[in-house]
Amino acid sequence: MNASTEALPVAVIGAGPAGLAAAAHLTERGLTPLVLEAGTTAAAAVREWGHVRLFSTWSEVVDPAAAKLLGPTGWSAPDADTYPSGADWADLYLQPLADVLGDTVRYGATVTGVSRQGRDRIVDADREQQPFTLSITNANGTEERLLASAVIDASGTWSTPSPIGGDGLPALGEKAASDRISYRIPDLNDPATRARYAGKRTAVIGSGASAFTALAYLADLAKADDGVGTHATWILRRGISGSTFGGGSADQLPARGALGLAAKAAVDGGYADAVTGFRTDTIECDADGRLVLVGEDGRRLDSVDEAIVLTGFRPDLTFLDELRLGLDERLQAPTELAPLIDPNQHSCGTVYPHGAVELSHPEKDVYLVGMKSYGRAPTFLAMTGYEQVRSIAAALAGDQEAAERVELTLPETGVCGGAGLFDQPQAAEETSGGGCCAAPATLTIGAPASSGGC
């Protein structure tokens, strides 16, 4: 920050785990945050997967600066060794934290653009002396501009799931079949959602922890009285190997190791069939209106009633277009960070803790943090985001020594990213060894297919 802008707040985009932690660290440093949240509550995205249990314990998902801020209110941390659901995380920690931050958190404020005041991305003259300007659309439809000394984008990637297509594009026919495709782990405790999948054949596309969770949920439904006939077809873009089901007992986050066991049990128990090396090119409809997935190699799978696509997420960078960002061309993560998080080389635990230095961009005082900082890499852990914002707050406060200091030790990991199932601690003891994050093989694209449509 410079003298002409230091009286302005630091704009934090998103009131999720990383954004609220950033606000706590800025407050601790004597800086003023302004948290802009598009939703009507804190942790709006987390609440959308509130039915899913994390694979990290409470001790790993509460930020230290946030805990200090909450302490005087009488807040007490939940049992450190238990596993919260998304709803627990939001209700018992994130919303109370937002409440403590008070008027520095604004709800119903969607950021639609960020730039330097009076300077588009082309102009060099006095660029770093200008404050940032943020275009906001409020819940009532009104628009306004806000000024800020720095910008921390913690908006996450939840709103931009990756499509089913193996080439990163929507498969032909994917949009036409959208009423039978979900990009979220289903909440089978919800009667309408349960009825949608009960007794049906469902394709689950993906190889990470979210896919494991969906397979386990569907297997449980198949065992229930109202779920007879429920069956999953698990579609993987790579083959099955010793690493497919995750880290097992080698995983220092035991709940994540248990996820792989649950997915394997779904397959071994006959509740799911695995199709490997399949990259979806087209979605067609059979004579009964059911979905038929066609691969790039011409393979046609048996018809299914529904598809759950869990192929990861990607960052929305459109509203940052007037800023000079330095992003890796593959992962869409900050250039200095990308080699540290490349899923072809790293699991969550082999990612070196990092902060302001690795997250810097050519545009000074702009930072992408949390899930968004990882771009398309799935190897993110909440405590990594907390270390990021601790370092950034220190840098913005002028404490370079603290910004460069590492204050985090990560667990060695198995499966990366996604959500957890760990309701029964004994399940972790049954997991077997393995690695994670192997790269899928590259396939040659065949002749173009015509759009399916349903």
Side-chain angles (χ1 to χ4, degrees):
M1 292 186 286
N2 58 68
S4 63
T5 63
E6 61 185 13
L8 296 172
V10 175
V12 179
I13 305 173
L20 293 173
H25 282 277
L26 291 167
T27 300
E28 187 175 59
R29 287 281 179 175
L31 302 175
T32 302
L34 175 59
V35 182
L36 301 167
E37 167 58 45
T40 58
T41 64
V46 173
R47 294 178 189 278
E48 290 192 31
W49 52 267
H51 58 290
V52 178
R53 192 166 299 282
L54 281 73
F55 51 57
S56 297
T57 62
W58 272 111
S59 66
E60 294 156 340
V61 297
V62 174
D63 175 77
K68 289 180 185 177
L69 200 60
L70 284 164
T73 70
W75 178 85
S76 57
D79 185 343
D81 296 326
T82 60
Y83 294 82
S85 66
D88 295 335
W89 202 18
D91 292 338
L92 303 181
Y93 166 61
L94 295 170
Q95 189 63 59
L97 177 56
D99 293 343
V100 169
L101 290 165
D103 292 341
T104 63
V105 180
R106 281 186 53 180
Y107 300 109
T110 301
V111 178
T112 58
V114 185
S115 187
R116 291 278 188 176
Q117 188 177 38
R119 306 287 190 275
D120 64 20
R121 66 184 297 161
I122 299 174
V123 179
D124 290 333
D126 299 322
R127 186 175 189 85
E128 291 188 1
Q129 282 65 55
Q130 305 307 311
F132 292 95
T133 180
L134 292 87
S135 291
I136 310 295
T137 299
N138 295 306
N140 61 5
T142 60
E143 298 179 311
E144 63 177 308
R145 291 285 182 91
L146 301 174
L147 298 181
S149 59
V151 176
I152 298 175
D153 182 358
S155 59
T157 58
W158 179 253
S159 64
T160 48
S162 295
I164 194 174
D167 53 11
L169 301 174
L172 294 174
E174 182 170 350
K175 293 179 181 178
S178 61
D179 60 330
R180 277 168 289 168
I181 299 176
S182 171
Y183 300 86
R184 309 288 189 242
I185 299 170
D187 181 2
L188 297 183
N189 290 319
D190 174 71
T193 304
R194 192 175 183 87
R196 175 176 177 175
Y197 296 101
K200 306 290 181 60
R201 295 185 67 88
T202 300
V204 176
I205 301 97
S207 59
S210 293
F212 290 174
T213 305
L215 289 168
Y217 282 3
L218 291 171
D220 285 344
L221 176 58
K223 300 171 191 176
D225 292 341
D226 62 342
V228 175
T230 303
H231 192 81
T233 299
W234 182 23
I235 300 172
L236 300 95
R237 293 172 179 169
R238 61 189 184 195
I240 290 182
S241 67
S243 66
T244 297
F245 296 103
S249 60
D251 196 326
Q252 289 191 22
L253 292 177
R256 185 170 44 204
L259 276 175
L261 178 67
K264 189 174 186 302
V267 175
D268 291 346
Y271 302 108
D273 299 319
V275 178
T276 62
F278 189 92
R279 292 172 176 259
T280 307
D281 180 76
T282 305
I283 300 176
E284 299 178 352
C285 283
D286 66 12
D288 297 322
R290 302 172 79 204
L291 305 180
V292 178
L293 275 60
V294 183
E296 293 177 348
D297 57 3
R299 277 187 291 168
R300 302 172 65 86
L301 303 185
D302 291 340
S303 301
V304 295
D305 301 289
E306 299 281 344
I308 300 173
V309 182
L310 301 169
T311 53
F313 296 85
R314 53 187 60 178
D316 177 7
L317 301 167
T318 55
F319 63 90
L320 304 176
D321 196 47
E322 291 304 321
L323 297 177
R324 298 175 177 180
L325 301 181
L327 298 174
D328 178 74
E329 67 276 7
R330 293 178 305 135
L331 296 182
Q332 296 179 294
T335 305
E336 295 298 317
L337 176 62
L340 304 179
I341 63 173
D342 185 347
N344 295 303
Q345 305 294 329
H346 293 283
S347 72
C348 317
T350 62
V351 173
Y352 184 81
H354 52 274
V357 173
E358 294 85 358
L359 295 168
S360 295
H361 293 276
E363 193 79 70
K364 188 175 183 295
D365 294 336
V366 169
Y367 299 96
L368 310 185
V369 303
M371 282 291 298
K372 191 161 187 176
S373 71
Y374 273 44
R376 299 195 185 196
T379 48
F380 181 76
L381 290 173
M383 50 188 155
T384 304
Y386 297 158
E387 172 67 2
Q388 289 178 341
V389 298
R390 181 205 63 78
S391 172
I392 289 167
L396 292 175
D399 188 348
Q400 198 59 34
E401 187 276 329
E404 296 178 2
R405 187 171 61 238
V406 175
E407 296 186 3
L408 175 65
T409 301
L410 290 171
E412 295 179 7
T413 61
V415 169
C416 304
L421 285 173
F422 202 52
D423 290 312
Q424 277 127 28
Q426 65 269 25
E429 299 174 6
E430 302 172 19
T431 56
S432 58
C436 89
C437 301
T442 301
L443 301 180
T444 302
I445 298 176
S450 60
S451 176
C454 299

